[in-house]
Amino acid sequence: MDITIAEAARQLQEAQDILLIAHKSPDGDTLGSSFALYWALCGLQKRVRVECSDPIPNKYSYFLPKEMPRFEPRFYAAVDLADVQLLGGRLEPLAGSVHLCIDHHVTNTRYAACTLVDPYQAATAQLIYRVIREMGCKVTPAIADCLFTGISTDTGCFRYPNVTPETMRIAADLMEAGAQAAYINRLMFETRSRARVRAERLILDTLTESFGGRCAEIVVSKAMMAETGVREDELDGISALPRRIEGVWVSVTYHERENGYKISMRTGDEVDACTVCAALGGGGHKRAAGCFISGSLGEARERIRCALESFLPVPPNHGEGTV
Amino acid sequence: MDITIAEAARQLQEAQDILLIAHKSPDGDTLGSSFALYWALCGLQKRVRVECSDPIPNKYSYFLPKEMPRFEPRFYAAVDLADVQLLGGRLEPLAGSVHLCIDHHVTNTRYAACTLVDPYQAATAQLIYRVIREMGCKVTPAIADCLFTGISTDTGCFRYPNVTPETMRIAADLMEAGAQAAYINRLMFETRSRARVRAERLILDTLTESFGGRCAEIVVSKAMMAETGVREDELDGISALPRRIEGVWVSVTYHERENGYKISMRTGDEVDACTVCAALGGGGHKRAAGCFISGSLGEARERIRCALESFLPVPPNHGEGTV
C-alpha cells in the first residue's frame, strides 16, 4: 500500500525496536537517509539500528554512531531500497517482512507492506527530511550531515537534472541546521586517492571513439587495477568521464572480470542506456545502465557495437580512433 | 566610497547610456553578472552594452543578446572586476573613469568612484541578484540563466566552501524564475572539448608532489597547448585537479607565458592562497589565488617553494616525485 509522509511518520513514531535497512553496495543516499532516521529515532528514545549486507565505506564515518544496540527487531523499515534483490545476500531472508519502505526510485516494486515513494524527489534523503520534520524531531547537526550527504551524492553535488528548487532549499535548511556542507562535498567529490589518480591516467589512455565521435569507450583492465593498487570502490564515477567529451552521446566502460567484461553505459538524452543494456541481458536507468558480456575484449566491443548500431546515426567505423 | 545595495540600485536607475565592463579572461561570474544587469537595464528602457577586453567564449552564447547598441557611454560600471589591471589591454584607458564597481573579491582595490563589495557573497551574481530586485525589475528567464551561471561557475556547481544557505536559496529562486539549471550545469561542468581531453592527459603527466605530498604541481606548457590545439578558455578548472588528491593542501599550476609563468594556486582550509600569492605580487581569494613569476620553470618552482615553506609543516624536498 502506498502511504503519505504523515502516515510514514506515524508508523515510525508508534514502532519499537526498529531495524533500518540500507541497500547493498551502499551509497551516500541509502546510508545518509538511514542514519538520519537512526539519529532522529534515537532522539525519540527508541531502540534502533541500521543494517546493510555490505560493509559501509570508511568515507561515511563522520555520521556513523560508535556502536548500535543489538535487539530482536519488531519493525523493519527499508530505506532507498527499490527491490528485494537490493537487500543483498545476508539480508535477503527479510524480503517478506518489511513493514515500511521509504524510497525515491520509480522502479520501486512495492515489496513492503507500506511504501512511501516519490520519484520526483532527487534523493530519498529529501523524503526522510520531511518525515523527520513531520515526527516533530529537531534536525540536529548529525541528522543534517546525514541528509546533506544523501542529497549531495544523489545529485552529483547539485549538478544533475533531478535537482529542483526544493532540493536547493532543503540543502540550505540543512546547512543552517549544522551540516558541514563544504567538508562533505570535498570528501565526496574532491578527494581522490593516489591510486585512483594513477589508475585514471592509465584508463584515459585507453579512450577510443566510434560512430563518428558519438560513442566513446574506455577499458579498466585487471592489469591496471593490479599495477595501481586501486580498489573497485575508488573508481566511483569513472564511467562518466568519456561522456563529458563534446558530441558524445554514449560512453561505454569495459571492466575486465574473470570470464568477460562488466559493461557500464552512460548516455545523454539521445539514447536510452537501459534499452541497449536490456538487449544484452542487463538493465538500469535511462542514462546509466549496465550488463555483462562474456568473452574477450574484442568480442565485447563487437557486441556493444551491434547493440548500439540502431541507436546512433553514424556508421560504427566512421570517425574511429584514439582521441 | 563603499556603497550599499540600495545606493548601487539607485545609481543604475538614474544612469543613462551605461557601459558594463567584465574582467579580462572572462568567466561565468563576470559575464553572467554583467549580462544579467544588461537584461535588467534593457527592461528599464536604458541604452546599455557590455564590453570585455577579451572575446567571450562560445559556451556562454545562451545568454548573449544578438547585438548590442553602439553609443558614447555616460556611466561606467565594472562587474566582478577587483583591480584596474583586470580591465585588460583594450579597456585600460577606462581605469580612471569607472563610476560604479560591483564585486565580491576581498582584494578589491576601490578604484571606482563608488564600490559595492561583499566578500561573503560566493559570487558577484548574488549581489547583482539583490541589486536587480532592489531596482524592482522582474527576474526574467534570461536574467535567471545569467545569474545561475555566475553562481554555479563561481562555486564549482555548489561544491566550494564559499556556498552559504543564501547561495542555495537564490539558486532555488532562479530555477523557479526559469533558469535552465540542468542545461547550464551540463554545459559548464560536464562538457569537455576533445582538445581539452587530450591536453588534460598531457598535463596530468606533469604531476609532481613535494612537501611530503602536501603540495601537488602541474605544468601547462606552450608546447602542450600547440600540440593539442586547446584554447586557454577550454582549460577551465584544470588548476583544481591536483588538489583532489588525498592529503594535498596546496595545488600549483604553472601556465607558461612569453617571459615566465602565470601561477594558479588552489588550497584547502589549511593554507591561505591569497597570502602566499600576495607575497609574490599577486592576489585572489583564500582558496584560489594567482600571481606571475618571470623566468624559467625551475626559477618559478623555486620561488613557489620558498613562498610555501612557512605554510607547510613538511620540508619541501620530503616526499618529492611523480605520483
Side-chain angles (χ1 to χ4, degrees):
Chain A
M1 184 174 59
D2 279 22
I3 60 169
T4 62
I5 286 169
E7 175 59 18
R10 195 191 58 75
Q11 288 193 13
L12 287 165
Q13 280 172 309
E14 289 179 3
Q16 297 297 338
D17 296 346
I18 302 165
L19 179 66
L20 301 170
I21 310 165
H23 65 66
K24 71 176 184 181
S25 304
D27 61 12
D29 194 23
T30 197
L31 292 172
S33 294
S34 296
F35 281 99
L37 213 43
Y38 169 88
W39 290 113
L41 293 168
C42 284
L44 296 175
Q45 317 304 329
K46 291 178 189 295
R47 265 206 301 202
V48 53
R49 74 170 185 271
V50 178
E51 288 201 14
C52 177
S53 65
D54 291 317
I56 296 175
N58 272 337
K59 65 178 173 180
Y60 300 107
S61 59
Y62 59 95
F63 63 62
L64 301 182
K66 283 202 188 70
E67 54 182 344
M68 291 188 283
R70 304 296 309 174
F71 55 87
E72 190 55 48
R74 289 192 279 160
F75 188 88
Y76 296 89
V79 181
D80 192 47
L81 206 156
D83 186 311
V84 289
Q85 290 183 341
L86 297 170
L87 287 164
R90 194 167 64 79
L91 300 178
E92 253 170 37
L94 302 180
S97 320
V98 180
H99 299 93
L100 171 65
C101 171
I102 303 179
D103 185 26
H104 75 128
H105 291 91
V106 69
T107 51
N108 189 289
T109 59
R110 308 301 199 273
Y111 59 86
C114 294
T115 304
L116 168 62
V117 66
D118 182 353
Y120 295 100
Q121 303 291 318
T124 293
Q126 291 186 192
L127 277 170
I128 299 290
Y129 176 70
R130 294 170 70 185
V131 169
I132 285 175
R133 301 254 315 225
E134 182 76 25
M135 293 195 295
C137 301
K138 184 175 183 305
V139 178
T140 62
I143 293 174
D145 271 352
C146 292
L147 293 176
F148 191 92
T149 303
I151 294 174
S152 159
T153 53
D154 252 28
T155 59
C157 208
F158 310 100
R159 183 174 294 186
Y160 300 156
N162 58 358
V163 173
T164 64
E166 193 195 356
T167 309
M168 303 304 273
R169 292 202 178 102
I170 293 176
D173 291 351
L174 295 172
M175 290 170 78
E176 277 170 353
Q180 308 168 78
Y183 170 82
I184 294 168
N185 291 341
R186 172 98 207 266
L187 190 63
M188 296 295 148
F189 299 100
E190 298 280 328
T191 306
R192 300 273 183 256
S193 67
R194 284 182 172 70
R196 156 75 185 236
V197 173
R198 280 192 297 261
E200 199 167 310
R201 284 157 66 184
L202 294 181
I203 291 165
L204 285 179
D205 281 339
T206 69
L207 185 67
T208 53
E209 295 191 42
S210 54
F211 292 97
R214 290 290 182 225
C215 177
E217 303 175 296
I218 53 176
V219 180
V220 182
S221 69
K222 286 190 287 184
M224 289 171 200
M225 305 279 294
E227 180 183 338
T228 60
V230 74
R231 292 190 318 270
E232 196 71 46
D233 69 275
E234 292 175 300
L235 289 177
D236 239 24
I238 201 94
S239 312
L241 294 183
R243 256 265 298 142
R244 292 194 174 189
I245 302 172
E246 54 181 354
V248 168
W249 291 4
V250 179
S251 91
V252 184
T253 306
Y254 298 85
H255 303 266
E256 189 181 8
R257 290 288 181 269
E258 277 313 311
N259 52 343
Y261 287 84
K262 181 175 151 282
I263 307 297
S264 304
M265 186 171 288
R266 298 289 179 273
T267 57
D269 280 336
E270 308 85 0
V271 177
D272 184 334
C274 190
T275 306
V276 180
C277 289
L280 293 162
H285 300 281
K286 270 183 85 161
R287 291 191 174 81
C291 60
F292 183 85
I293 302 179
S294 52
S296 72
L297 180 59
E299 285 162 343
R301 283 193 195 274
E302 193 47 39
R303 292 204 56 196
I304 288 290
R305 195 164 290 206
C306 293
L308 283 173
E309 214 149 11
S310 55
F311 294 94
L312 291 172
V314 197
N317 298 317
H318 188 269
E320 194 163 3
T322 54
V323 175
Chain B
M1 185 175 59
D2 278 21
I3 60 169
T4 62
I5 286 169
E7 175 58 17
R10 196 192 57 76
Q11 288 193 12
L12 287 165
Q13 281 172 309
E14 290 179 1
Q16 297 295 339
D17 297 346
I18 303 165
L19 179 66
L20 301 171
I21 310 165
H23 66 65
K24 71 177 185 181
S25 304
D27 61 13
D29 194 23
T30 197
L31 293 172
S33 294
S34 296
F35 281 98
L37 214 42
Y38 169 88
W39 291 114
L41 293 167
C42 283
L44 297 175
Q45 317 303 330
K46 292 179 188 296
R47 266 207 300 201
V48 54
R49 72 170 186 272
V50 177
E51 288 201 13
C52 178
S53 66
D54 291 316
I56 296 176
N58 272 336
K59 65 177 174 180
Y60 299 107
S61 59
Y62 60 94
F63 63 63
L64 301 181
K66 283 202 188 69
E67 54 181 345
M68 291 188 282
R70 304 297 309 174
F71 55 87
E72 190 55 49
R74 288 191 280 162
F75 188 87
Y76 296 88
V79 181
D80 192 46
L81 207 156
D83 187 311
V84 290
Q85 290 182 340
L86 297 170
L87 288 164
R90 194 166 65 79
L91 300 177
E92 253 170 36
L94 302 180
S97 320
V98 180
H99 298 92
L100 171 65
C101 170
I102 303 178
D103 185 25
H104 75 128
H105 292 91
V106 69
T107 51
N108 189 290
T109 59
R110 309 301 200 271
Y111 59 88
C114 293
T115 305
L116 168 61
V117 66
D118 182 353
Y120 295 101
Q121 302 291 318
T124 294
Q126 291 186 194
L127 276 170
I128 299 290
Y129 176 71
R130 295 170 70 185
V131 168
I132 286 174
R133 302 255 316 227
E134 182 76 23
M135 293 195 296
C137 301
K138 185 175 182 305
V139 178
T140 62
I143 293 174
D145 272 351
C146 292
L147 294 176
F148 191 91
T149 303
I151 294 173
S152 157
T153 54
D154 251 28
T155 60
C157 209
F158 309 99
R159 183 173 295 185
Y160 300 157
N162 58 357
V163 173
T164 64
E166 193 195 357
T167 309
M168 304 303 273
R169 292 201 177 102
I170 292 176
D173 291 351
L174 295 172
M175 291 170 78
E176 277 170 353
Q180 308 168 79
Y183 170 82
I184 294 169
N185 291 341
R186 171 97 208 265
L187 191 63
M188 295 296 146
F189 298 100
E190 297 280 328
T191 307
R192 300 274 183 255
S193 68
R194 285 183 172 68
R196 155 76 185 235
V197 174
R198 281 192 296 262
E200 199 168 309
R201 284 155 67 184
L202 294 181
I203 291 165
L204 284 179
D205 281 339
T206 70
L207 185 67
T208 53
E209 294 191 41
S210 54
F211 293 97
R214 291 290 181 222
C215 177
E217 303 175 296
I218 53 175
V219 180
V220 182
S221 70
K222 287 191 287 184
M224 288 171 200
M225 305 280 294
E227 181 183 337
T228 60
V230 74
R231 292 190 317 270
E232 196 69 48
D233 68 89
E234 291 174 301
L235 288 177
D236 243 22
I238 200 93
S239 314
L241 294 184
R243 255 263 297 142
R244 292 193 173 190
I245 302 173
E246 55 182 352
V248 168
W249 291 5
V250 179
S251 91
V252 184
T253 305
Y254 299 86
H255 303 266
E256 190 182 6
R257 291 286 180 271
E258 275 315 311
N259 52 343
Y261 286 83
K262 180 174 151 284
I263 308 296
S264 304
M265 187 171 289
R266 298 289 180 273
T267 57
D269 279 336
E270 307 85 0
V271 176
D272 184 334
C274 188
T275 305
V276 180
C277 289
L280 292 163
H285 299 282
K286 270 184 83 161
R287 291 190 174 83
C291 60
F292 183 84
I293 302 179
S294 51
S296 71
L297 181 59
E299 285 162 343
R301 282 193 196 274
E302 193 48 39
R303 293 204 55 196
I304 288 289
R305 196 164 290 205
C306 294
L308 283 174
E309 214 150 10
S310 55
F311 295 95
L312 291 173
V314 197
N317 299 317
H318 189 268
E320 194 163 3
T322 54
V323 176

